[in-house]
Amino acid sequence: MDSMITAAARALAAGDPLGALRRVALREDAPALALRGIAMAQLGDFVRAKALVRSAARAFGPKEALARARCAVAEAEIALASRDLHWPQKALDTARVTLERHGDTANAALARYLEIRRLLLIGRVDAAEQLLAELNFASMPPALRAAHELIIAGIAMRRVNPKAARAALARAERAARDARIPALSAEVENASQVLNAPAARLIARGATRPLLLDEVATLFDSKALVVDACRHVIRHRSSTVSLATRPVLFTLARALAEAWPEDVPRGTLVTRAFRAKVADESHRARLRVEMGRLRAQLRSFADVSATVRGFSLAPRTAREVVVLARPVEEEYASVLALLSDGESWSSSALALGLGASQRTVQRALDSLAESGKVQSIGRGRARRWLTPPLPGFATTLLLPAPLPND
């Protein structure tokens, strides 16, 4: 490499894309195209960055396998940053193997980290953790060590383990300081703010208050019977019953938990569970059937009893009954949770992240756009959706990932 290419590469490694562009902006050779693409990605112009990196890959000859592999990794990193989650996984795996064969362990590790971060975004926490355990990050440069710790923190937060998350973020902060990359330090700081923002709401005995992630972890370890509206499960310490596929039963369980220790009138239960304005005899009959089903689901945790005016919940061993509610009660809260990272998402990427059909996600986006909660940029396949972060709230418990004991 000539001196200008070397200087531009060093500027990019230090997080100075403008400095890199000053050196290679007018050059059209393959190394310059690759560096210009990375610089444009750091500046946020992902469309131009992707085109430049692809041009660089074509410009490198067939015998320059190492350079082409690095371009493939750079393109995958741009795709992740632009939330294009449908990149060809096989191409990234091939590039990683090529990098390992040529001794470029740092870029090979970067390829693996990109794969892990993608898995974490779409809620495949177990798979991400398994791949992460296979990496030896001790000999990696500071920037990759910071990325490693950020992933550990992300997994810990999704599993409601704030202690492990704080320890990982402290290590990430030290690594980012050693790397001397301002953007990386800012990413660590943003991740740290999640732990200091309300992650959920506690509803107990008619009162509501916000909870930090530390308080959610304490609640899960307490003796309370928790009706978890973040993942639609009923939990008591290490035991859980999932009602994620039984929305009517969960609605009834939540209504009883919110009113505990009092009972809930039949009319109120009919309105909440069946959305009927007036309870007739058919609704009352259906309510009795659904309550019988709920009683069977909760038999190890609590009794569901009929009273003069309705039904009540009585825990067997728990000291109290509480509801863990989402920080924001929104029909499409999971969509907003993914968009709240400040990046622009395609509807197909949102569908992949939520495990839903693209048609369902598009209907949600249209509804949110009508209410002014999201906005779109671009047209057709280039259309992207974004929204500012939810003010004052962490969306950890809204993301598609299993909570403890699910």
Side-chain angles (χ1 to χ4, degrees), residues 277-297:
K277 294 182 179 180
V278 179
D280 57 24
E281 191 56 37
S282 64
H283 289 121
R284 293 178 183 274
R286 184 184 175 190
L287 179 62
R288 288 193 295 272
V289 172
E290 297 296 346
M291 280 299 181
R293 292 170 176 167
L294 180 62
R295 185 180 294 110
Q297 291 287 330

Side-chain angles (χ1 to χ4, degrees), residues 165-285:
R166 291 185 190 280
L169 288 173
R171 295 191 297 268
E173 183 181 6
R174 290 193 294 270
R177 194 184 312 119
D178 293 340
R180 298 180 181 179
I181 300 176
L184 187 57
S185 297
E187 185 177 358
V188 175
E189 183 179 354
N190 290 338
S192 300
Q193 291 176 357
V194 174
L195 292 174
N196 299 317
R201 292 181 300 121
L202 179 70
I203 303 174
R205 298 179 182 270
T208 303
R209 67 179 180 88
L211 292 182
L212 301 179
L213 198 63
D214 299 85
E215 295 174 304
V216 174
T218 302
L219 179 65
F220 287 166
D221 291 334
S222 71
K223 295 182 179 181
L225 177 63
V226 181
V227 177
D228 186 348
C230 298
R231 288 296 184 272
H232 290 183
V233 300
I234 314 298
R235 60 175 74 248
H236 178 50
R237 291 194 167 181
S238 60
S239 302
T240 62
V241 171
S242 175
L243 297 178
T245 60
R246 311 288 292 274
V248 172
L249 295 189
F250 183 80
T251 299
L252 293 172
R254 177 171 177 173
L256 295 176
E258 289 180 354
W260 184 86
E262 303 298 328
D263 61 354
V264 183
R266 290 177 176 81
T268 301
L269 292 171
V270 166
T271 300
R272 292 189 60 170
F274 311 139
R275 299 180 181 179
K277 294 182 179 180
V278 179
D280 57 24
E281 191 56 37
S282 64
H283 289 121
R284 293 178 183 274

Side-chain angles (χ1 to χ4, degrees), residues 83-106:
R83 296 303 185 259
D84 182 5
L85 303 182
H86 292 276
W87 71 54
Q89 185 61 46
K90 186 176 180 180
L92 184 61
D93 289 339
T94 302
R96 178 175 52 80
V97 171
T98 301
L99 291 167
E100 290 174 347
R101 188 169 59 246
H102 285 79
D104 189 351
T105 56

